[in-house]
Amino acid sequence: MSTFPSFTGSKCEEDDVEYNKICDKHKHLLETLPKGGGWMEHHLYNYNGFWLSQMFLKASLLVHTYFKSEPTDIVLASFMKSGTTWLKALMFSTLNRDRYSFSNHYLHNNSPQSSIPFLEVNTYPMADFTTFSAPRLYSTHFARTLLPACMSSCKFVYVCRNPKDVLVSKWLFISKLRSKDLPPLSLDEAFELFCLGVSEFGPFWEHVLSYWRASLESPDKILFLRYEELKKQPEVVVRKLADFMGKPVTMEEEKKGVVGEIIKLCSFENLRNLEVNKKGADKFGKLLEVEKKEFFRKGEIGDWKNYLSEEMKDRIDGITEQKFQGSGLIGFSE
Ligand code: PAP
């Protein structure tokens, strides 16, 4: 059964030769990598085909150096604003369903973000993931090809979402986090950057394809989900998750309505209205703090219709069709 990570803090940055080498490499990369317009900060940096902020570029180097995966790990992977918070709650409560009662649950007093930590924000000192009992659960926004080779033996749950909803959700979210030293980012500017692929952890399409291709190669290792499918058929997806995580729903649990309890606990309305998710902030490493309420905005399919013009819709749909062509991946019609 999964438990929580601890942070050893045993290494001192100044004395750590290896860490200092990474800092030098990071500095060199910041000076030499192609730059693009940042959403939250001045710039993003194109590293091995993906756009990362300074902080996550360094995190990538640290993960490659320090992180040791276990074959039993289950990793939640997603592009930003694709349903990570929801999946964190669902995966945590599905895997740990013997541990908490639905009337007095961990998620009643703790945010979903705290239930499954991000790999890339726990990099130095590296979260001591070894104190997890198997299977360990953690999440990442990194594309599949940016992860260290050791992680190819892990299981992944990937959730993707209509890029038009992702764009709108991300623009509204980032507008609140954007550096106060920068002028506000207009929707037109965000749209242009998104279409060019210049978006934290993106391009969106290459991100999705990195996991899609891996899921075709190893369907038993990667469960590929869609936010829209989860909205429409949550029972089907929760059963799939339980099977995939090696804890199928039993006949007895079916009779007790356990699947329905998990869905109710993790529903947008329930999570958003919990006191714990209304106040305070989630901390992501040393540098990033986000008001918990920002993770619960509308939680709907198709809210992009309230923001994007017909022309914008056509352009994103065109890019999606072109990028996904021949991949076997069906686009997002809604
Ligand atoms: P992250 O990338 O910052 O971790 P992520 O959780 O992936 O964010 O996405 C947030 C979106 O999921 C928000 O979408 P919206 O802006 O279109 O509303 C948020 O409202 C939605 N969301 C959060 N929790 C749930 C939930 N339980 N059910 C459905 N949608 C949810």
Side-chain angles (χ1 to χ4, degrees), residues 229 233-241 259 263:
E229 160 196 27
Q233 295 193 302
E235 309 79 22
V236 176
V237 177
V238 167
R239 288 192 190 97
K240 263 193 217 174
L241 274 176
V259 173
I263 292 164

Side-chain angles (χ1 to χ4, degrees), residues 81-86 141 161 169 227 266 295 297-299:
K81 314 322 285 181
S82 297
T84 324
T85 311
W86 193 9
H141 279 329
R161 188 181 187 190
S169 179
Y227 181 93
C266 303
F295 291 103
R297 191 184 64 89
K298 252 188 177 171

Side-chain angles (χ1 to χ4, degrees), residues 49-112:
F50 289 91
W51 293 97
L52 300 176
S53 65
Q54 287 198 37
M55 173 179 151
F56 291 120
L57 173 62
K58 187 164 175 187
S60 167
L61 303 177
L62 291 167
V63 165
H64 277 260
T65 306
Y66 293 115
F67 186 61
K68 305 274 177 288
S69 62
E70 300 285 341
T72 48
D73 292 348
I74 305 176
V75 190
L76 165 61
S78 56
F79 189 81
M80 282 181 74
K81 314 322 285 181
S82 297
T84 324
T85 311
W86 193 9
L87 260 298
K88 281 188 178 190
L90 285 168
M91 287 170 66
F92 180 82
S93 51
T94 301
L95 191 65
N96 291 304
R97 60 188 189 268
D98 297 336
R99 191 164 155 195
Y100 302 104
S101 86
F102 290 104
S103 57
N104 182 19
H105 199 276
Y106 175 87
L107 288 173
H108 290 159
N109 303 309
N110 300 276
S111 71

Side-chain angles (χ1 to χ4, degrees), residues 281-296:
D282 280 309
K283 287 201 172 85
F284 299 94
K286 292 176 200 158
L287 299 176
L288 194 58
E289 237 181 78
V290 182
E291 295 280 322
K292 291 182 196 169
K293 63 178 179 350
E294 303 302 344
F295 291 103
F296 306 95

